[in-house]
Amino acid sequence: MARRGFVTVAVLTVGMVALASLSGCKLIANEEGATTSDGVDIFFDDESFDSDKMAADLWDEQVIPYLNGKAGDFGEVIALVAEDPDAAGERFGYRANPDGKPWTIVARLDGTIVATKLDTRAATVDIDEDGDGTADATVQIGPVIRGTVLRDSLDFVSFGDFTNQIDYAKFGKSLNTLVNDTVLNTFPREGLIGRKVSVLGVFEIDPSDDRPIFTAAEITVVEPSS
Amino acid sequence: MTLKRTILSAGLAGVMALGMGSIAQAADLIAIITPSHDNPFFKAEADGAEAKAKELGYEALVLVHDDDANKQSELIDSVIARGAKAIILDNAGADATVAAVQKAKDAGIPSFLIDREINATGVAVAQIVSNNYQGAQLGAEEFVKLMGEEGNYVELVGKESDTNAGIRSKGYHDVIDEYPDLNMVARQSANWSQTEAFEKMESILQANPDIKGVISGNDTMAMGAWAALEAAGRDDVIVVGFDGSNDVRDSIIAGGVKATVLQPAYGIAQIAVEQADAYIKNGSASEPEKQLMDCVLINADNASKLETFALTN
């Protein structure tokens, strides 16, 4: 799967560049094919907004430091989620809108892979954190990452900052794509059971889930390391 | 976008300087303007808003713009003339509506938008919309699962002037396009319309008899497509909609349409009226302008709990 990247600026007309600079819009790369792989035309999709660039610009500078600052250790986090979800959310997470959005929770998870689901493009591994042999959390390992919890966990990015839902959605997708292309692409797909991993990630409090489903911002195999 | 925005913001600055003088208003009128109630989704919105407005002691004026931006503009004029205290609006076009809402704002009447966004901020007091992208992803994930991650499918898209048509299609494709064995053979707009979806589905089916699924941008189009498929003896085709209407609920229970995504339309309309009430009383917004409300997947497991765009327990 080719990375959606910055396609040449040459396709832009001089006029568009002039307008972009006139309005202070700094994003000028034309994201050709960013809509869909079939070249489907999405109404209101403003191709002058480069969500991949926004995600890349924020990732090291803001997203990772923010997540590190918010994250609690999984055991402590999950105990508080069970006891008082709102307190857990306020301490370890964020939600944009109490009426309409669940809490997102940031946690550090260290444990052993006890199960895998690899027969789908939305592949996952199940992690035993407390050493009792049963899964305590599920981690998405791509290439399909469901949901937008990475975006939704950021208190410094809000829906109102974007022109419309489409730009907001593109940014969420771009964060997932970035994780897929720079973090999950090196994650092994074989011989996973029994390996120890370390994850910094986000999950959403959803009582209908059997266990927290993490979207990883960082994931490393601790041992055996290769 | 850039040109439009530049002109718009220059225009806004000028208008705002002139337009903030207050105008005498009737004591307690809230106008509720939506697309035609032929689609039960919009009726549910109007009913939810009207019930909440009356509960809070307002007179409610319920109007429909029939997705006609000119008619919407005339309705806004009449509402201004009536001295409404606030407007609850499910609008007739993301671009065309900006000027109409600005006109109300200039007359001192705050607008609270529901369901559909406009492509400008700072004009309406609130834009409370379903999290269409999240909902579309839920619908698409269910569709992918039902399709077994493979096969030919058709997409029915909504009305081009409505951001929701774009965002749902994007949500669908961001999920479905990750599966290389799912192949879209046709993609057409049926303008949210049941009859148009019926006709389009008939002709699509003739050209592409080998389809396995249809994913639709809303429930009325899903119902139209399902009727065409059933008439053609193709009730094996997987159909997924969006909205959470009682029609699709009944179809799911009867084994027809397979799934939809509930937008909490009734609740969103009520929240909008509550925020309008707070604004009228306090003179300032109680929440950020742009607010997203998550959607819920509806399938055979929970369809029986769905009633008038809300889930019961």
Side-chain angles (χ1 to χ4, degrees):
Chain A
M1 195 172 63
R3 167 138 195 217
R4 296 189 335 208
F6 312 118
V7 182
T8 172
V9 187
V11 283
L12 286 167
T13 65
V14 174
M16 276 181 74
V17 174
L19 283 172
S21 50
L22 193 73
S23 67
C25 184
K26 64 176 178 170
L27 306 163
I28 52 170
N30 183 13
E31 252 192 314
E32 191 177 82
T35 47
T36 78
S37 57
D38 297 326
V40 168
D41 172 41
I42 302 289
F43 306 148
F44 294 102
D45 190 357
D46 173 6
E47 296 195 351
S48 70
F49 170 58
D50 188 342
S51 56
D52 286 342
K53 177 167 167 33
M54 180 177 173
D57 287 350
L58 290 176
W59 189 256
D60 290 334
E61 298 278 316
Q62 292 192 53
V63 175
I64 291 296
Y66 169 82
L67 294 177
N68 273 315
K70 272 276 178 191
D73 287 328
F74 182 76
E76 185 187 1
V77 166
I78 211 68
L80 190 55
V81 166
E83 185 192 314
D84 186 345
D86 286 342
E90 271 157 31
R91 184 159 164 210
F92 300 113
Y94 176 68
R95 66 176 170 190
N97 176 358
D99 287 324
K101 297 286 291 178
W103 285 108
T104 56
I105 303 286
V106 191
R108 242 175 255 102
L109 172 68
D110 297 289
T112 305
I113 298 174
V114 291
T116 61
K117 189 158 182 270
L118 303 173
D119 60 348
T120 164
R121 288 181 57 78
T124 55
V125 294
D126 289 350
I127 310 285
D128 170 25
E129 189 266 343
D130 56 12
D132 68 354
T134 62
D136 302 302
T138 295
V139 180
Q140 305 197 68
I141 58 168
V144 174
I145 297 174
R146 291 184 170 167
T148 52
V149 292
L150 287 173
R151 179 198 68 187
D152 297 346
S153 73
L154 305 176
D155 68 1
F156 54 89
V157 175
S158 81
F159 175 34
D161 299 337
F162 295 80
T163 303
N164 55 34
Q165 292 180 71
I166 294 174
D167 284 358
Y168 188 50
K170 282 167 74 170
F171 176 63
K173 175 82 172 174
S174 289
L175 286 175
N176 289 355
T177 303
L178 186 150
V179 164
N180 212 24
D181 291 353
T182 63
V183 178
L184 299 176
N185 63 336
T186 55
F187 192 75
R189 303 276 151 171
E190 291 173 343
L192 287 167
I193 304 283
R195 295 177 96 168
K196 286 196 164 54
V197 294
S198 180
V199 179
L200 170 67
V202 182
F203 66 91
E204 199 169 80
I205 297 183
D206 181 348
S208 69
D209 290 337
D210 295 335
R211 60 186 80 91
I213 300 172
F214 276 76
T215 300
E218 295 177 342
I219 182 168
T220 48
V221 177
V222 180
E223 65 179 51
S225 59
S226 66
Chain B
M1 142 201 133
T2 45
L3 175 63
K4 189 173 65 205
R5 271 198 159 170
T6 309
I7 291 172
L8 200 61
S9 39
L12 291 189
V15 171
M16 282 171 68
L18 298 172
M20 295 311 287
S22 70
I23 287 173
Q25 290 168 358
D28 58 355
L29 181 68
I30 289 183
I32 298 158
I33 309 175
T34 70
S36 163
H37 294 186
D38 288 351
N39 183 337
F41 181 86
F42 302 120
K43 179 162 193 331
E45 284 181 342
D47 289 351
E50 185 177 16
K52 180 57 78 176
K54 286 182 173 163
E55 181 190 322
L56 294 172
Y58 293 92
E59 184 193 340
L61 175 64
V62 177
L63 302 165
V64 294
H65 55 57
D66 294 326
D67 278 308
D68 175 343
N70 292 325
K71 185 172 178 191
Q72 172 177 269
S73 180
E74 290 165 17
L75 291 174
I76 300 268
D77 286 338
S78 71
V79 164
I80 292 170
R82 291 274 306 261
K85 286 280 193 182
I87 298 170
I88 309 296
L89 175 64
D90 190 343
N91 74 77
D95 290 321
T97 300
V98 177
V101 172
Q102 181 66 45
K103 192 165 56 176
K105 181 180 178 180
D106 294 344
I109 303 173
S111 295
F112 297 79
L113 271 51
I114 53 175
D115 176 40
R116 299 174 180 171
E117 290 172 272
I118 54 174
N119 283 327
T121 53
V123 185
V125 174
Q127 301 188 47
I128 311 170
V129 299
S130 297
N131 195 345
N132 286 281
Y133 186 71
Q134 171 261 350
Q137 292 200 311
L138 289 180
E141 282 161 10
E142 182 76 357
F143 184 71
V144 166
K145 200 160 80 180
L146 290 162
M147 295 283 287
E149 302 192 3
E150 63 180 19
N152 291 339
Y153 74 97
V154 173
E155 183 192 4
L156 293 176
V157 191
K159 206 173 174 62
E160 194 174 350
S161 64
D162 183 348
T163 323
N164 288 342
I167 187 68
R168 289 180 203 162
S169 186
K170 178 160 182 57
Y172 288 159
H173 282 282
D174 278 355
V175 172
I176 296 171
D177 293 358
E178 300 274 7
Y179 297 85
D181 297 331
L182 281 165
N183 176 37
M184 184 169 72
V185 294
R187 178 178 190 261
Q188 289 193 26
S189 173
N191 292 307
W192 304 132
S193 154
Q194 187 157 342
T195 47
E196 202 172 326
F198 182 90
E199 288 156 10
K200 295 239 158 114
M201 196 68 236
E202 277 187 321
S203 58
I204 290 170
L205 196 56
Q206 278 173 2
N208 305 277
D210 57 341
I211 58 166
K212 188 173 165 188
V214 177
I215 192 155
S216 168
N218 81 343
D219 276 355
T220 48
M221 294 191 298
M223 289 302 288
W226 176 251
L229 289 162
E230 227 181 358
R234 289 300 308 277
D235 56 7
D236 59 305
V237 176
I238 293 153
V239 178
V240 170
F242 196 110
D243 279 344
S245 72
N246 287 359
D247 286 346
V248 164
R249 171 200 66 192
D250 295 344
S251 183
I252 291 171
I253 291 170
V257 172
K258 291 290 179 293
T260 185
V261 178
L262 168 65
Q263 302 191 70
Y266 193 88
I268 286 176
Q270 296 215 311
I271 288 169
V273 175
E274 284 168 4
Q275 292 184 13
D277 177 55
Y279 187 92
I280 290 164
K281 286 178 175 146
N282 308 324
S284 62
S286 57
E287 301 292 332
E289 178 181 341
K290 298 193 80 168
Q291 304 163 47
L292 281 182
M293 302 287 165
D294 272 7
C295 304
V296 182
L297 179 73
I298 303 292
N299 57 21
D301 297 339
N302 60 355
S304 61
K305 294 180 183 166
L306 180 61
E307 177 56 49
T308 320
F309 300 96
L311 271 182
T312 58
N313 286 314

mmCIF file of all heavy atoms in Angstrom, chain B residues 286-302:
data_model
loop_
_atom_site.group_PDB
_atom_site.id
_atom_site.type_symbol
_atom_site.label_atom_id
_atom_site.label_comp_id
_atom_site.label_asym_id
_atom_site.label_seq_id
_atom_site.Cartn_x
_atom_site.Cartn_y
_atom_site.Cartn_z
ATOM 1 N N SER B 286 -23.552 28.593 25.674
ATOM 2 C CA SER B 286 -23.166 27.727 26.793
ATOM 3 C C SER B 286 -22.156 26.667 26.377
ATOM 4 O O SER B 286 -21.507 26.066 27.211
ATOM 5 C CB SER B 286 -24.412 27.057 27.378
ATOM 6 O OG SER B 286 -25.105 26.333 26.370
ATOM 7 N N GLU B 287 -22.032 26.430 25.069
ATOM 8 C CA GLU B 287 -21.156 25.370 24.567
ATOM 9 C C GLU B 287 -20.360 25.910 23.391
ATOM 10 O O GLU B 287 -20.723 26.931 22.812
ATOM 11 C CB GLU B 287 -21.998 24.175 24.086
ATOM 12 C CG GLU B 287 -22.899 23.550 25.137
ATOM 13 C CD GLU B 287 -22.127 22.847 26.234
ATOM 14 O OE1 GLU B 287 -20.997 22.377 25.953
ATOM 15 O OE2 GLU B 287 -22.630 22.782 27.376
ATOM 16 N N PRO B 288 -19.267 25.207 23.013
ATOM 17 C CA PRO B 288 -18.564 25.598 21.793
ATOM 18 C C PRO B 288 -19.510 25.535 20.593
ATOM 19 O O PRO B 288 -20.489 24.787 20.624
ATOM 20 C CB PRO B 288 -17.452 24.548 21.644
ATOM 21 C CG PRO B 288 -17.471 23.707 22.852
ATOM 22 C CD PRO B 288 -18.697 24.015 23.642
ATOM 23 N N GLU B 289 -19.203 26.303 19.555
ATOM 24 C CA GLU B 289 -20.119 26.334 18.415
ATOM 25 C C GLU B 289 -20.301 24.952 17.785
ATOM 26 O O GLU B 289 -21.419 24.505 17.558
ATOM 27 C CB GLU B 289 -19.612 27.318 17.346
ATOM 28 C CG GLU B 289 -20.516 27.333 16.110
ATOM 29 C CD GLU B 289 -20.018 28.272 15.022
ATOM 30 O OE1 GLU B 289 -19.211 29.169 15.314
ATOM 31 O OE2 GLU B 289 -20.454 28.096 13.867
ATOM 32 N N LYS B 290 -19.185 24.294 17.491
ATOM 33 C CA LYS B 290 -19.302 23.047 16.737
ATOM 34 C C LYS B 290 -19.260 21.845 17.670
ATOM 35 O O LYS B 290 -18.305 21.661 18.418
ATOM 36 C CB LYS B 290 -18.211 22.971 15.684
ATOM 37 C CG LYS B 290 -18.355 24.130 14.680
ATOM 38 C CD LYS B 290 -17.516 23.952 13.443
ATOM 39 C CE LYS B 290 -18.161 23.027 12.457
ATOM 40 N NZ LYS B 290 -17.482 23.068 11.142
ATOM 41 N N GLN B 291 -20.330 21.079 17.642
ATOM 42 C CA GLN B 291 -20.471 19.951 18.557
ATOM 43 C C GLN B 291 -20.844 18.687 17.784
ATOM 44 O O GLN B 291 -21.740 18.708 16.959
ATOM 45 C CB GLN B 291 -21.578 20.256 19.587
ATOM 46 C CG GLN B 291 -21.348 21.546 20.360
ATOM 47 C CD GLN B 291 -22.615 22.032 21.051
ATOM 48 O OE1 GLN B 291 -23.314 21.260 21.703
ATOM 49 N NE2 GLN B 291 -22.925 23.304 20.897
ATOM 50 N N LEU B 292 -20.146 17.603 18.095
ATOM 51 C CA LEU B 292 -20.404 16.326 17.437
ATOM 52 C C LEU B 292 -21.074 15.360 18.400
ATOM 53 O O LEU B 292 -20.678 15.255 19.544
ATOM 54 C CB LEU B 292 -19.085 15.674 16.990
ATOM 55 C CG LEU B 292 -18.420 16.166 15.722
ATOM 56 C CD1 LEU B 292 -17.166 15.341 15.466
ATOM 57 C CD2 LEU B 292 -19.346 16.076 14.532
ATOM 58 N N MET B 293 -22.076 14.653 17.906
ATOM 59 C CA MET B 293 -22.759 13.636 18.703
ATOM 60 C C MET B 293 -22.549 12.266 18.068
ATOM 61 O O MET B 293 -22.897 12.069 16.897
ATOM 62 C CB MET B 293 -24.264 13.920 18.736
ATOM 63 C CG MET B 293 -24.611 15.294 19.284
ATOM 64 S SD MET B 293 -24.377 15.356 21.068
ATOM 65 C CE MET B 293 -24.399 17.117 21.328
ATOM 66 N N ASP B 294 -22.018 11.325 18.819
ATOM 67 C CA ASP B 294 -21.723 10.011 18.246
ATOM 68 C C ASP B 294 -22.986 9.253 17.833
ATOM 69 O O ASP B 294 -24.047 9.411 18.431
ATOM 70 C CB ASP B 294 -20.923 9.170 19.243
ATOM 71 C CG ASP B 294 -19.426 9.415 19.102
ATOM 72 O OD1 ASP B 294 -19.041 10.330 18.341
ATOM 73 O OD2 ASP B 294 -18.645 8.693 19.736
ATOM 74 N N CYS B 295 -22.823 8.440 16.817
ATOM 75 C CA CYS B 295 -23.908 7.612 16.287
ATOM 76 C C CYS B 295 -23.763 6.173 16.804
ATOM 77 O O CYS B 295 -22.723 5.797 17.320
ATOM 78 C CB CYS B 295 -23.870 7.587 14.762
ATOM 79 S SG CYS B 295 -23.932 9.224 14.011
ATOM 80 N N VAL B 296 -24.814 5.376 16.620
ATOM 81 C CA VAL B 296 -24.833 4.000 17.129
ATOM 82 C C VAL B 296 -25.229 3.049 15.996
ATOM 83 O O VAL B 296 -26.178 3.321 15.257
ATOM 84 C CB VAL B 296 -25.856 3.854 18.279
ATOM 85 C CG1 VAL B 296 -25.853 2.438 18.837
ATOM 86 C CG2 VAL B 296 -25.571 4.866 19.385
ATOM 87 N N LEU B 297 -24.518 1.934 15.877
ATOM 88 C CA LEU B 297 -24.870 0.927 14.871
ATOM 89 C C LEU B 297 -26.165 0.213 15.271
ATOM 90 O O LEU B 297 -26.336 -0.181 16.420
ATOM 91 C CB LEU B 297 -23.742 -0.112 14.749
ATOM 92 C CG LEU B 297 -24.026 -1.220 13.729
ATOM 93 C CD1 LEU B 297 -23.904 -0.679 12.305
ATOM 94 C CD2 LEU B 297 -23.090 -2.398 13.933
ATOM 95 N N ILE B 298 -27.050 0.075 14.280
ATOM 96 C CA ILE B 298 -28.293 -0.668 14.500
ATOM 97 C C ILE B 298 -28.292 -1.881 13.572
ATOM 98 O O ILE B 298 -28.137 -1.743 12.351
ATOM 99 C CB ILE B 298 -29.528 0.202 14.160
ATOM 100 C CG1 ILE B 298 -29.542 1.500 14.981
ATOM 101 C CG2 ILE B 298 -30.810 -0.604 14.374
ATOM 102 C CD1 ILE B 298 -29.767 1.340 16.449
ATOM 103 N N ASN B 299 -28.434 -3.065 14.148
ATOM 104 C CA ASN B 299 -28.598 -4.271 13.332
ATOM 105 C C ASN B 299 -29.627 -5.157 14.025
ATOM 106 O O ASN B 299 -30.351 -4.691 14.919
ATOM 107 C CB ASN B 299 -27.249 -4.974 13.108
ATOM 108 C CG ASN B 299 -26.560 -5.335 14.418
ATOM 109 O OD1 ASN B 299 -27.202 -5.424 15.463
ATOM 110 N ND2 ASN B 299 -25.255 -5.539 14.354
ATOM 111 N N ALA B 300 -29.697 -6.410 13.604
ATOM 112 C CA ALA B 300 -30.749 -7.283 14.149
ATOM 113 C C ALA B 300 -30.650 -7.412 15.672
ATOM 114 O O ALA B 300 -31.654 -7.687 16.341
ATOM 115 C CB ALA B 300 -30.670 -8.656 13.491
ATOM 116 N N ASP B 301 -29.466 -7.196 16.225
ATOM 117 C CA ASP B 301 -29.286 -7.359 17.681
ATOM 118 C C ASP B 301 -30.035 -6.299 18.499
ATOM 119 O O ASP B 301 -30.474 -6.580 19.606
ATOM 120 C CB ASP B 301 -27.797 -7.277 18.059
ATOM 121 C CG ASP B 301 -27.000 -8.404 17.429
ATOM 122 O OD1 ASP B 301 -27.617 -9.425 17.060
ATOM 123 O OD2 ASP B 301 -25.765 -8.263 17.299
ATOM 124 N N ASN B 302 -30.118 -5.078 17.966
ATOM 125 C CA ASN B 302 -30.707 -4.015 18.798
ATOM 126 C C ASN B 302 -31.830 -3.240 18.104
ATOM 127 O O ASN B 302 -32.331 -2.254 18.641
ATOM 128 C CB ASN B 302 -29.615 -3.039 19.271
ATOM 129 C CG ASN B 302 -28.891 -2.357 18.118
ATOM 130 O OD1 ASN B 302 -29.131 -2.673 16.952
ATOM 131 N ND2 ASN B 302 -28.013 -1.425 18.443
#
